[in-house]
PDB file of all heavy atoms in Angstrom:
ATOM      1  N   ILE A   1       4.314   7.359  -8.794  1.00 47.00           N
ATOM      2  CA  ILE A   1       3.432   6.355  -9.384  1.00 47.00           C
ATOM      3  C   ILE A   1       2.475   5.785  -8.349  1.00 47.00           C
ATOM      4  O   ILE A   1       1.318   5.541  -8.643  1.00 47.00           O
ATOM      5  CB  ILE A   1       4.250   5.224 -10.042  1.00 47.00           C
ATOM      6  CG1 ILE A   1       4.933   5.759 -11.284  1.00 47.00           C
ATOM      7  CG2 ILE A   1       3.373   4.041 -10.397  1.00 47.00           C
ATOM      8  CD1 ILE A   1       5.805   4.781 -11.990  1.00 47.00           C
ATOM      9  N   ALA A   2       2.917   5.576  -7.111  1.00 49.00           N
ATOM     10  CA  ALA A   2       2.068   4.975  -6.084  1.00 49.00           C
ATOM     11  C   ALA A   2       0.819   5.808  -5.814  1.00 49.00           C
ATOM     12  O   ALA A   2      -0.190   5.287  -5.355  1.00 49.00           O
ATOM     13  CB  ALA A   2       2.863   4.793  -4.798  1.00 49.00           C
ATOM     14  N   HIS A   3       0.850   7.101  -6.093  1.00 49.00           N
ATOM     15  CA  HIS A   3      -0.290   7.968  -5.821  1.00 49.00           C
ATOM     16  C   HIS A   3      -1.209   8.144  -7.021  1.00 49.00           C
ATOM     17  O   HIS A   3      -2.250   8.769  -6.902  1.00 49.00           O
ATOM     18  CB  HIS A   3       0.197   9.346  -5.348  1.00 49.00           C
ATOM     19  CG  HIS A   3       0.983   9.265  -4.078  1.00 49.00           C
ATOM     20  ND1 HIS A   3       0.431   8.844  -2.894  1.00 49.00           N
ATOM     21  CD2 HIS A   3       2.282   9.532  -3.826  1.00 49.00           C
ATOM     22  CE1 HIS A   3       1.359   8.876  -1.945  1.00 49.00           C
ATOM     23  NE2 HIS A   3       2.489   9.282  -2.494  1.00 49.00           N
ATOM     24  N   MET A   4      -0.825   7.610  -8.142  1.00 43.00           N
ATOM     25  CA  MET A   4      -1.661   7.732  -9.332  1.00 43.00           C
ATOM     26  C   MET A   4      -2.805   6.726  -9.224  1.00 43.00           C
ATOM     27  O   MET A   4      -2.593   5.559  -8.908  1.00 43.00           O
ATOM     28  CB  MET A   4      -0.843   7.495 -10.592  1.00 43.00           C
ATOM     29  CG  MET A   4       0.207   8.578 -10.810  1.00 43.00           C
ATOM     30  SD  MET A   4       1.207   8.288 -12.258  1.00 43.00           S
ATOM     31  CE  MET A   4       0.043   8.626 -13.535  1.00 43.00           C
ATOM     32  N   PRO A   5      -4.052   7.130  -9.486  1.00 48.00           N
ATOM     33  CA  PRO A   5      -5.192   6.240  -9.286  1.00 48.00           C
ATOM     34  C   PRO A   5      -5.235   5.030 -10.203  1.00 48.00           C
ATOM     35  O   PRO A   5      -5.787   4.015  -9.843  1.00 48.00           O
ATOM     36  CB  PRO A   5      -6.395   7.145  -9.533  1.00 48.00           C
ATOM     37  CG  PRO A   5      -5.884   8.275 -10.337  1.00 48.00           C
ATOM     38  CD  PRO A   5      -4.442   8.442  -9.963  1.00 48.00           C
ATOM     39  N   SER A   6      -4.672   5.095 -11.397  1.00 43.00           N
ATOM     40  CA  SER A   6      -4.778   3.977 -12.329  1.00 43.00           C
ATOM     41  C   SER A   6      -3.634   2.978 -12.204  1.00 43.00           C
ATOM     42  O   SER A   6      -3.538   2.050 -12.979  1.00 43.00           O
ATOM     43  CB  SER A   6      -4.849   4.501 -13.762  1.00 43.00           C
ATOM     44  OG  SER A   6      -3.644   5.146 -14.077  1.00 43.00           O
ATOM     45  N   VAL A   7      -2.754   3.173 -11.244  1.00 41.00           N
ATOM     46  CA  VAL A   7      -1.614   2.290 -11.107  1.00 41.00           C
ATOM     47  C   VAL A   7      -1.587   1.702  -9.701  1.00 41.00           C
ATOM     48  O   VAL A   7      -1.728   2.415  -8.720  1.00 41.00           O
ATOM     49  CB  VAL A   7      -0.286   3.054 -11.387  1.00 41.00           C
ATOM     50  CG1 VAL A   7       0.904   2.147 -11.208  1.00 41.00           C
ATOM     51  CG2 VAL A   7      -0.302   3.638 -12.775  1.00 41.00           C
ATOM     52  N   GLN A   8      -1.412   0.383  -9.612  1.00 43.00           N
ATOM     53  CA  GLN A   8      -1.302  -0.272  -8.315  1.00 43.00           C
ATOM     54  C   GLN A   8       0.114  -0.114  -7.792  1.00 43.00           C
ATOM     55  O   GLN A   8       1.037   0.237  -8.517  1.00 43.00           O
ATOM     56  CB  GLN A   8      -1.628  -1.756  -8.445  1.00 43.00           C
ATOM     57  CG  GLN A   8      -3.048  -2.019  -8.856  1.00 43.00           C
ATOM     58  CD  GLN A   8      -3.291  -3.502  -9.082  1.00 43.00           C
ATOM     59  OE1 GLN A   8      -2.347  -4.268  -9.274  1.00 43.00           O
ATOM     60  NE2 GLN A   8      -4.550  -3.883  -9.068  1.00 43.00           N
ATOM     61  N   ARG A   9       0.310  -0.423  -6.524  1.00 45.00           N
ATOM     62  CA  ARG A   9       1.643  -0.303  -5.915  1.00 45.00           C
ATOM     63  C   ARG A   9       2.680  -1.195  -6.587  1.00 45.00           C
ATOM     64  O   ARG A   9       3.836  -0.861  -6.645  1.00 45.00           O
ATOM     65  CB  ARG A   9       1.567  -0.618  -4.427  1.00 45.00           C
ATOM     66  CG  ARG A   9       0.846   0.444  -3.658  1.00 45.00           C
ATOM     67  CD  ARG A   9       1.047   0.213  -2.170  1.00 45.00           C
ATOM     68  NE  ARG A   9       0.218   1.111  -1.417  1.00 45.00           N
ATOM     69  CZ  ARG A   9       0.590   2.315  -1.018  1.00 45.00           C
ATOM     70  NH1 ARG A   9       1.774   2.774  -1.324  1.00 45.00           N
ATOM     71  NH2 ARG A   9      -0.226   3.075  -0.326  1.00 45.00           N
ATOM     72  N   ALA A  10       2.273  -2.344  -7.079  1.00 47.00           N
ATOM     73  CA  ALA A  10       3.219  -3.251  -7.729  1.00 47.00           C
ATOM     74  C   ALA A  10       3.651  -2.747  -9.095  1.00 47.00           C
ATOM     75  O   ALA A  10       4.506  -3.329  -9.727  1.00 47.00           O
ATOM     76  CB  ALA A  10       2.602  -4.636  -7.863  1.00 47.00           C
ATOM     77  N   GLY A  11       3.057  -1.643  -9.534  1.00 47.00           N
ATOM     78  CA  GLY A  11       3.447  -1.074 -10.820  1.00 47.00           C
ATOM     79  C   GLY A  11       2.605  -1.564 -11.973  1.00 47.00           C
ATOM     80  O   GLY A  11       2.834  -1.216 -13.107  1.00 47.00           O
ATOM     81  N   LYS A  12       1.606  -2.402 -11.686  1.00 49.00           N
ATOM     82  CA  LYS A  12       0.741  -2.906 -12.739  1.00 49.00           C
ATOM     83  C   LYS A  12      -0.406  -1.928 -12.952  1.00 49.00           C
ATOM     84  O   LYS A  12      -0.957  -1.384 -12.011  1.00 49.00           O
ATOM     85  CB  LYS A  12       0.171  -4.268 -12.361  1.00 49.00           C
ATOM     86  CG  LYS A  12       1.232  -5.338 -12.246  1.00 49.00           C
ATOM     87  CD  LYS A  12       0.590  -6.644 -11.880  1.00 49.00           C
ATOM     88  CE  LYS A  12       1.651  -7.722 -11.699  1.00 49.00           C
ATOM     89  NZ  LYS A  12       1.074  -8.977 -11.239  1.00 49.00           N
ATOM     90  N   ILE A  13      -0.758  -1.739 -14.183  1.00 50.00           N
ATOM     91  CA  ILE A  13      -1.866  -0.850 -14.510  1.00 50.00           C
ATOM     92  C   ILE A  13      -3.166  -1.612 -14.287  1.00 50.00           C
ATOM     93  O   ILE A  13      -3.327  -2.739 -14.758  1.00 50.00           O
ATOM     94  CB  ILE A  13      -1.775  -0.354 -15.966  1.00 50.00           C
ATOM     95  CG1 ILE A  13      -0.517   0.475 -16.140  1.00 50.00           C
ATOM     96  CG2 ILE A  13      -3.018   0.428 -16.356  1.00 50.00           C
ATOM     97  CD1 ILE A  13      -0.261   0.923 -17.552  1.00 50.00           C
ATOM     98  N   LYS A  14      -4.077  -1.001 -13.564  1.00 51.00           N
ATOM     99  CA  LYS A  14      -5.379  -1.623 -13.346  1.00 51.00           C
ATOM    100  C   LYS A  14      -6.147  -1.616 -14.653  1.00 51.00           C
ATOM    101  O   LYS A  14      -6.153  -0.636 -15.373  1.00 51.00           O
ATOM    102  CB  LYS A  14      -6.194  -0.828 -12.312  1.00 51.00           C
ATOM    103  CG  LYS A  14      -5.692  -0.928 -10.909  1.00 51.00           C
ATOM    104  CD  LYS A  14      -6.628  -0.146 -10.005  1.00 51.00           C
ATOM    105  CE  LYS A  14      -6.115  -0.079  -8.605  1.00 51.00           C
ATOM    106  NZ  LYS A  14      -6.987   0.732  -7.731  1.00 51.00           N
ATOM    107  N   SER A  15      -6.786  -2.721 -14.941  1.00 51.00           N
ATOM    108  CA  SER A  15      -7.611  -2.741 -16.142  1.00 51.00           C
ATOM    109  C   SER A  15      -8.974  -2.162 -15.791  1.00 51.00           C
ATOM    110  O   SER A  15      -9.614  -2.589 -14.851  1.00 51.00           O
ATOM    111  CB  SER A  15      -7.751  -4.166 -16.683  1.00 51.00           C
ATOM    112  OG  SER A  15      -8.408  -4.971 -15.747  1.00 51.00           O
ATOM    113  N   GLN A  16      -9.370  -1.177 -16.537  1.00 60.00           N
ATOM    114  CA  GLN A  16     -10.641  -0.530 -16.306  1.00 60.00           C
ATOM    115  C   GLN A  16     -11.722  -1.379 -16.955  1.00 60.00           C
ATOM    116  O   GLN A  16     -11.514  -1.911 -18.045  1.00 60.00           O
ATOM    117  CB  GLN A  16     -10.613   0.869 -16.925  1.00 60.00           C
ATOM    118  CG  GLN A  16      -9.436   1.668 -16.429  1.00 60.00           C
ATOM    119  CD  GLN A  16      -9.872   2.980 -15.838  1.00 60.00           C
ATOM    120  OE1 GLN A  16     -10.950   3.431 -16.085  1.00 60.00           O
ATOM    121  NE2 GLN A  16      -9.019   3.571 -15.045  1.00 60.00           N
ATOM    122  N   PRO A  17     -12.872  -1.534 -16.301  1.00 69.00           N
ATOM    123  CA  PRO A  17     -13.932  -2.321 -16.920  1.00 69.00           C
ATOM    124  C   PRO A  17     -14.383  -1.670 -18.219  1.00 69.00           C
ATOM    125  O   PRO A  17     -14.567  -0.462 -18.281  1.00 69.00           O
ATOM    126  CB  PRO A  17     -15.053  -2.314 -15.876  1.00 69.00           C
ATOM    127  CG  PRO A  17     -14.735  -1.198 -14.948  1.00 69.00           C
ATOM    128  CD  PRO A  17     -13.264  -0.967 -15.034  1.00 69.00           C
ATOM    129  N   GLN A  18     -14.518  -2.495 -19.249  1.00 83.00           N
ATOM    130  CA  GLN A  18     -14.863  -1.968 -20.569  1.00 83.00           C
ATOM    131  C   GLN A  18     -16.378  -2.003 -20.747  1.00 83.00           C
ATOM    132  O   GLN A  18     -17.050  -2.935 -20.324  1.00 83.00           O
ATOM    133  CB  GLN A  18     -14.192  -2.794 -21.657  1.00 83.00           C
ATOM    134  CG  GLN A  18     -14.337  -2.199 -23.031  1.00 83.00           C
ATOM    135  CD  GLN A  18     -13.537  -2.956 -24.061  1.00 83.00           C
ATOM    136  OE1 GLN A  18     -13.256  -4.126 -23.901  1.00 83.00           O
ATOM    137  NE2 GLN A  18     -13.180  -2.283 -25.131  1.00 83.00           N
ATOM    138  N   ASP A  19     -16.893  -0.985 -21.367  1.00 90.00           N
ATOM    139  CA  ASP A  19     -18.301  -0.898 -21.690  1.00 90.00           C
ATOM    140  C   ASP A  19     -18.672  -2.091 -22.580  1.00 90.00           C
ATOM    141  O   ASP A  19     -18.013  -2.331 -23.596  1.00 90.00           O
ATOM    142  CB  ASP A  19     -18.556   0.425 -22.416  1.00 90.00           C
ATOM    143  CG  ASP A  19     -20.008   0.673 -22.753  1.00 90.00           C
ATOM    144  OD1 ASP A  19     -20.856  -0.193 -22.460  1.00 90.00           O
ATOM    145  OD2 ASP A  19     -20.291   1.753 -23.305  1.00 90.00           O
ATOM    146  N   PRO A  20     -19.707  -2.857 -22.211  1.00 92.00           N
ATOM    147  CA  PRO A  20     -20.077  -4.028 -23.019  1.00 92.00           C
ATOM    148  C   PRO A  20     -20.441  -3.687 -24.463  1.00 92.00           C
ATOM    149  O   PRO A  20     -20.173  -4.479 -25.374  1.00 92.00           O
ATOM    150  CB  PRO A  20     -21.293  -4.612 -22.296  1.00 92.00           C
ATOM    151  CG  PRO A  20     -21.328  -3.992 -20.957  1.00 92.00           C
ATOM    152  CD  PRO A  20     -20.526  -2.735 -21.020  1.00 92.00           C
ATOM    153  N   LEU A  21     -21.020  -2.507 -24.681  1.00 93.00           N
ATOM    154  CA  LEU A  21     -21.339  -2.100 -26.049  1.00 93.00           C
ATOM    155  C   LEU A  21     -20.078  -1.865 -26.863  1.00 93.00           C
ATOM    156  O   LEU A  21     -19.995  -2.256 -28.029  1.00 93.00           O
ATOM    157  CB  LEU A  21     -22.201  -0.837 -26.057  1.00 93.00           C
ATOM    158  CG  LEU A  21     -23.642  -0.982 -25.585  1.00 93.00           C
ATOM    159  CD1 LEU A  21     -24.344   0.370 -25.615  1.00 93.00           C
ATOM    160  CD2 LEU A  21     -24.391  -1.983 -26.434  1.00 93.00           C
ATOM    161  N   ARG A  22     -19.075  -1.221 -26.260  1.00 93.00           N
ATOM    162  CA  ARG A  22     -17.810  -0.974 -26.965  1.00 93.00           C
ATOM    163  C   ARG A  22     -17.118  -2.299 -27.268  1.00 93.00           C
ATOM    164  O   ARG A  22     -16.579  -2.505 -28.350  1.00 93.00           O
ATOM    165  CB  ARG A  22     -16.903  -0.049 -26.165  1.00 93.00           C
ATOM    166  CG  ARG A  22     -15.655   0.345 -26.948  1.00 93.00           C
ATOM    167  CD  ARG A  22     -14.853   1.427 -26.263  1.00 93.00           C
ATOM    168  NE  ARG A  22     -15.560   2.667 -26.075  1.00 93.00           N
ATOM    169  CZ  ARG A  22     -15.745   3.596 -27.016  1.00 93.00           C
ATOM    170  NH1 ARG A  22     -15.281   3.413 -28.230  1.00 93.00           N
ATOM    171  NH2 ARG A  22     -16.370   4.720 -26.739  1.00 93.00           N
ATOM    172  N   LYS A  23     -17.140  -3.223 -26.305  1.00 94.00           N
ATOM    173  CA  LYS A  23     -16.513  -4.537 -26.494  1.00 94.00           C
ATOM    174  C   LYS A  23     -17.190  -5.277 -27.647  1.00 94.00           C
ATOM    175  O   LYS A  23     -16.518  -5.865 -28.499  1.00 94.00           O
ATOM    176  CB  LYS A  23     -16.620  -5.345 -25.196  1.00 94.00           C
ATOM    177  CG  LYS A  23     -16.142  -6.765 -25.295  1.00 94.00           C
ATOM    178  CD  LYS A  23     -14.635  -6.834 -25.266  1.00 94.00           C
ATOM    179  CE  LYS A  23     -14.176  -8.275 -25.136  1.00 94.00           C
ATOM    180  NZ  LYS A  23     -13.508  -8.762 -26.325  1.00 94.00           N
ATOM    181  N   ALA A  24     -18.529  -5.238 -27.683  1.00 94.00           N
ATOM    182  CA  ALA A  24     -19.268  -5.900 -28.758  1.00 94.00           C
ATOM    183  C   ALA A  24     -18.930  -5.278 -30.117  1.00 94.00           C
ATOM    184  O   ALA A  24     -18.747  -5.990 -31.107  1.00 94.00           O
ATOM    185  CB  ALA A  24     -20.766  -5.825 -28.499  1.00 94.00           C
TER     186      ALA A  24
END
């Protein structure tokens, strides 16, 4: 898990920035 790009060392999933159009 520590080597996976979307996961931090603490085990929390990084939130990816959402496209403002998709959010709207």
Side-chain angles (χ1 to χ4, degrees):
I1 290 178
H3 299 296
M4 294 178 72
S6 65
V7 178
Q8 296 175 341
R9 290 191 188 270
K12 295 180 182 175
I13 297 175
K14 289 182 186 177
S15 63
Q16 306 235 341
Q18 188 174 25
D19 183 358
L21 289 178
R22 186 171 299 280
K23 174 78 171 112

